[in-house]
């Protein structure tokens, strides 16, 4: 499957608000079947999101990654664990922050092996509208055709992308807490990972993996910041609270967290504000029925951190925000969720005393926000992470057994507790 052997035509796909799988091009059904895609005359599949990552603008200042340099004549192999099984698989790619079309030469999907290896015999070539190559417009996204690879729930799969040209800065997800691999040249079909000598802990262009073949409609989207993203969990071990929830409930769980994300403001480092990305990252997930909102601690805490002894250049913008402003932000997310037919669960903010986000203003506003979440009735249900993870001797502080070490982010044990209490209200 080297580029010197196969030089397929490419197809451009336009950006759309709520996107579906790209239909097969006329006359390409035989090619699509060889690649494992569903023929256009087949009965439509029921699709459900099985894994997700929220796209971000290229940035390298806060975690080492390849986003600003992009890729040129390189293969990128990404390993993700799906939270639902199915008879078919397709991927979702994002060029949301690209300023020019992204030329993807080809892509494959396979069952994961150890490291960058894949299971022999499981490699499937992906097509896009029946074509192996595709141009994704600037600010656009697309889904691949269906490929005939059955996957089991909680199984890891790899997606390998090859770029024969130069991409420029890459739309990515900064904090994947899982290894992504890079190789020089075209190695998308290689079962062995020997050529993949570079590694990163971010995801590039890949924003979703979806499975088909069963009835869908029970997916849970976890929406938030680094607490949802999994900061403080063991890298490479699938110990985020989204992982623990998928294991505990048996339902598809989609992680729509972005470390540092803000409820009220856009950030060059930490993504668009919650209301601006909610449609793409939550409402466009097929099969989702519930969203859990855990957002706001950075809006409260960035201004406190900037007044501290070690202000962070990435903690911008950092205005002092009021409880009323945060409540208005939550109400907008609730409005969007209900407009999309989703049940919305409000999560109280975790204790933050002792962290760089803590101060007199943060103490008062976080208490007021949590009281509103518990008592307003604005959410369809409430999960009280604050009480579940608080120290018994000092309720404003994370319990030592659940603290990853910064007094702000839970460790693996803390994330398991979050999953347990959330499972009880779903």
């Amino acid at each position: 499957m080297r580029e010197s052997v196969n030089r397929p035509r490419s197809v451009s796909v336009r950006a759309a608000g709520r996107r579906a799988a790209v239909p097969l091009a006329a006359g390409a059904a035989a090619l699509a079947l060889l690649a494992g895609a569903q023929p256009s005359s087949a009965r439509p599949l029921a699709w459900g999101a099985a894994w997700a990552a929220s796209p971000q603008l290229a940035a390298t200042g806060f975690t080492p990654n390849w986003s600003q340099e992009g890729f040129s004549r390189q293969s990128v192999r990404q390993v993700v664990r799906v939270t639902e099984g199915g008879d078919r698989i397709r991927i979702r790619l994002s060029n949301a922050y690209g300023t020019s079309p992204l030329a993807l030469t080809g892509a494959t999907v396979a069952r994961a092996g150890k490291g960058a290896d894949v299971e022999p015999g499981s490699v499937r070539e992906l097509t896009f509208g029946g074509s192996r190559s595709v141009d994704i417009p600037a600010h656009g996204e697309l889904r691949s055709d269906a490929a005939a690879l059955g996957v089991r729930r909680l199984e890891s799969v790899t997606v390998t992308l090859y770029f024969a040209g130069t991409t420029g800065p890459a739309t990515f997800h900064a904090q994947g807490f899982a290894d992504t691999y890079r190789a020089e040249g075209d190695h998308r079909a290689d079962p062995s990972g020997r050529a993949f000598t570079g590694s990163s802990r971010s995801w590039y262009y890949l924003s979703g993996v979806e499975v088909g073949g069963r009835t869908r409609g029970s997916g849970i989207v976890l929406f938030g910041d680094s607490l949802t993203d999994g900061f403080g969990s063991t890298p490479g071990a699938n110990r985020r609270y989204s992982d623990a929830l998928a294991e505990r409930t048996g339902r598809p769980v989609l992680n729509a967290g972005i470390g540092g994300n803000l409820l009220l403001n856009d950030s060059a480092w930490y993504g668009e504000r919650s209301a601006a990305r909610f449609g793409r990252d939550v409402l466009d997930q097929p099969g989702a029925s519930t969203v859990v909102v855990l957002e706001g601690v950075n809006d409260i805490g960035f201004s406190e951190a900037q007044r501290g002894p070690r202000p962070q250049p990435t903690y911008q913008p950092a205005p002092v925000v009021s409880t009323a402003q945060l409540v208005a932000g939550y109400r907008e997310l609730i409005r969007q969720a209900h407009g999309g037919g989703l049940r919305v669960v409000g999560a109280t903010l975790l204790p933050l005393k002792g962290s760089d986000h803590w101060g007199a203003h943060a103490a008062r506003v976080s208490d007021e926000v949590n009281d509103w979440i518990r008592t307003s009735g604005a959410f369809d249900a409430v999960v009280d992470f604050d009480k579940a993870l608080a120290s018994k001797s000092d309720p404003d502080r994370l319990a030592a057994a659940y603290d990853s070490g910064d007094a702000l982010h839970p460790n693996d044990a803390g994330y398991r507790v979050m999953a347990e209490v959330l499972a009880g209200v779903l």
Side-chain angles (χ1 to χ4, degrees):
M1 206 183 308
R2 302 290 185 192
E3 185 59 20
S4 59
V5 176
N6 292 318
R7 296 185 182 276
R9 63 184 177 85
S10 64
V11 58
S12 290
V13 182
R14 293 176 182 160
R18 191 176 285 268
R19 300 162 179 87
V22 180
L24 295 177
L31 174 62
L33 283 171
L34 287 173
Q38 178 195 18
S40 58
S41 60
R43 181 180 178 182
L45 293 175
W47 287 99
W51 176 88
S54 298
Q56 295 175 248
L57 179 70
T60 59
F62 57 97
T63 183
N65 63 73
W66 305 317
S67 66
Q68 288 190 332
E69 65 185 277
F71 306 98
S72 182
R73 298 180 295 280
Q74 292 170 321
S75 300
V76 185
R77 180 163 287 178
Q78 307 181 67
V79 184
V80 303
R81 186 171 76 154
V82 296
T83 58
E84 178 66 303
D87 303 322
R88 296 288 188 274
I89 193 168
R90 69 186 185 189
I91 65 171
R92 182 176 179 179
L93 297 174
S94 175
N95 191 28
Y97 302 103
T99 57
S100 61
L102 172 68
L104 174 66
T105 310
T108 59
V109 63
R111 296 190 185 90
K114 184 177 181 180
D117 292 345
V118 303
E119 183 181 303
S122 70
V123 178
R124 302 289 186 273
E125 185 175 36
L126 292 169
T127 59
F128 304 85
S131 177
R132 296 180 181 92
S133 295
V134 68
D135 293 333
I136 308 174
H139 314 301
E141 70 166 28
L142 61 81
R143 289 178 168 95
S144 72
D145 302 323
L149 179 68
V151 294
R152 299 183 301 274
R153 185 178 165 274
L154 303 183
E155 180 178 20
S156 290
V157 299
T158 67
V159 174
T160 307
L161 309 176
Y162 175 57
F163 304 98
T166 299
T167 67
T171 295
F172 84 132
H173 183 86
Q175 296 178 314
F177 306 108
D179 288 328
T180 287
Y181 305 94
R182 183 177 65 180
E184 301 299 321
D186 183 1
H187 296 278
R188 59 190 134 150
D190 291 7
S192 170
R194 283 192 301 269
F196 291 87
T197 55
S199 66
S200 162
R201 285 183 173 164
S202 300
W203 288 305
Y204 303 90
Y205 299 116
L206 183 64
S207 62
V209 175
E210 300 169 1
V211 294
R214 301 177 185 173
T215 303
R216 308 291 166 191
S218 62
I220 305 162
V221 184
L222 305 183
F223 184 82
D225 48 42
S226 58
L227 298 167
T228 298
D229 217 8
F231 190 95
S233 65
T234 302
N238 296 313
R239 302 282 178 81
R240 313 163 192 85
Y241 105 88
S242 55
D243 298 303
L245 185 67
E247 293 164 2
R248 188 172 186 87
T249 63
R251 292 170 62 178
V253 177
L254 296 315
N255 192 317
I258 295 179
N261 196 229
L262 296 162
L263 182 67
L264 301 176
N265 290 287
D266 298 337
S267 166
W269 301 93
Y270 304 126
E272 296 176 76
R273 67 191 183 280
S274 59
R277 70 182 185 92
F278 196 83
R280 177 195 68 198
D281 295 347
V282 177
L283 301 181
D284 278 358
Q285 301 293 348
S289 62
T290 301
V291 59
V292 181
V293 174
L294 174 57
E295 187 88 270
V297 68
N298 295 315
D299 299 76
I300 295 169
F302 277 7
S303 61
E304 299 282 7
Q306 296 301 64
R307 289 193 292 267
R310 292 187 299 276
Q312 299 296 318
T314 63
Y315 285 4
Q316 297 291 346
V320 176
V321 301
S322 68
T323 302
Q325 288 174 305
L326 290 166
V327 166
Y330 294 129
R331 288 194 183 279
E332 171 58 20
L333 297 186
I334 294 168
R335 184 194 67 78
Q336 289 191 37
H338 286 165
L342 270 63
R343 179 174 182 252
V344 57
V345 178
T348 57
L349 304 179
L350 275 64
L352 65 158
K353 184 177 179 181
S355 75
D356 66 351
H357 283 33
W358 180 254
H361 179 76
R364 178 178 60 79
V365 173
S366 61
D367 281 348
E368 291 174 354
V369 164
N370 282 348
D371 285 344
W372 179 83
I373 290 171
R374 293 183 184 111
T375 63
S376 68
F379 292 97
D380 298 310
V382 171
V383 57
D384 204 334
F385 290 150
D386 177 44
K387 290 184 177 178
L389 273 71
S391 167
K392 289 184 171 55
S393 60
D394 187 352
D396 289 327
R397 189 183 293 272
L398 272 177
Y402 304 142
D403 187 356
S404 67
D406 63 2
L408 184 64
H409 297 94
N411 56 19
D412 294 350
Y415 284 127
R416 283 196 302 273
V417 170
M418 290 172 64
E420 290 169 5
V421 295
L422 177 54
V425 303
L426 290 174

